[in-house]
Amino acid sequence: MKIILVGPPGSGKGTQAGHIASMFGVNSVSSGDLFRDNLAKNTELGKLAKDFMDKGEYVPDEVTIDMVMGWIEDPTHSSGFVLDGFPRTLAQAEALESRLLGSGGIDRVLFFNVDEEALVDRLSGRLICRGCHMPYHIKFSPPLITDQCNSCGGGLYQRDDDKVEVIRNRFKVYMQETEPLVKHFRESGNLREIDASMGINDVKRAIERAVR
Ligand code: AMP
């Protein structure tokens, strides 16, 4: 099963990706997490990505495509996967589609639809676990113990790009670069739209209906 998650930043893709992956017994990956892992390890790729990420801009396609293809080509991911945050441009979508031509293509595209003001509310209160990347929200899904991850005990932090002015720019970039992909995937017939303004459990149930 090869599933991709498309939607604006803060639409809940990261919260649901692990759940969807475990439904199908596959792995999920977030391209943003791959970049952040590189940043934390201070790799050349991390250094290159940092300036773009800090401003809420997209990292150039060549670099992003190489990084995600490297993950997909790992033999442990060959049975299927959930991609969160990739593809985000038409060039990325075409690269992925041509890479998957021989193996049945993309099975499902889930489009997480939610409006800008809800996203600003969500992202400005978001906290992320340093250990396992699990997202929390200070109001909507707080951790059981302040600043500590419920699942791995790691410390929680606010991402630099979850500041209001950067959030607005990320949304603008999303509308310009990624929103056109919705039409592209709708035409392929395997896109399902999820009302991502609902609470976490309702979104989860809507996804279960959409992938079955
Ligand atoms: P995310 O965690 O998905 O919000 O991604 C954080 C940042 O990583 C984005 O604002 C971009 O700078 C970069 N990024 C993640 N995925 C992509 C992608 N598919 N294409 C280009 N840049 C990306």
Side-chain angles (χ1 to χ4, degrees), residues 13-57:
K13 304 185 299 297
T15 304
Q16 303 290 345
H19 171 64
I20 304 168
S22 58
M23 278 171 69
F24 292 100
V26 297
N27 289 97
S28 67
V29 73
S30 141
S31 44
D33 284 345
L34 291 179
F35 281 126
R36 279 182 290 278
D37 286 344
N38 274 278
L39 252 173
K41 292 182 192 135
N42 209 22
T43 65
E44 287 307 311
L45 175 60
K47 285 184 216 159
L48 187 152
K50 185 176 179 349
D51 287 342
F52 296 98
M53 295 175 77
D54 285 349
K55 286 187 259 170
E57 307 284 337

Side-chain angles (χ1 to χ4, degrees), residues 36 53-54 56 126 159-163 166-167 170:
R36 279 182 290 278
M53 295 175 77
D54 285 349
R126 181 163 77 165
R159 281 171 43 174
D160 287 340
D161 58 353
D162 280 346
K163 311 229 157 75
V166 186
I167 296 171
R170 287 164 67 200

Side-chain angles (χ1 to χ4, degrees), residues 105-130:
I106 298 163
D107 296 295
R108 241 335 148 249
V109 179
L110 298 179
F111 167 41
F112 286 55
N113 198 5
V114 56
D115 70 50
E116 181 174 356
E117 291 322 305
L119 297 174
V120 173
D121 261 10
R122 283 186 188 180
L123 288 176
S124 55
R126 181 163 77 165
L127 297 171
I128 311 280
C129 171
R130 283 188 199 283

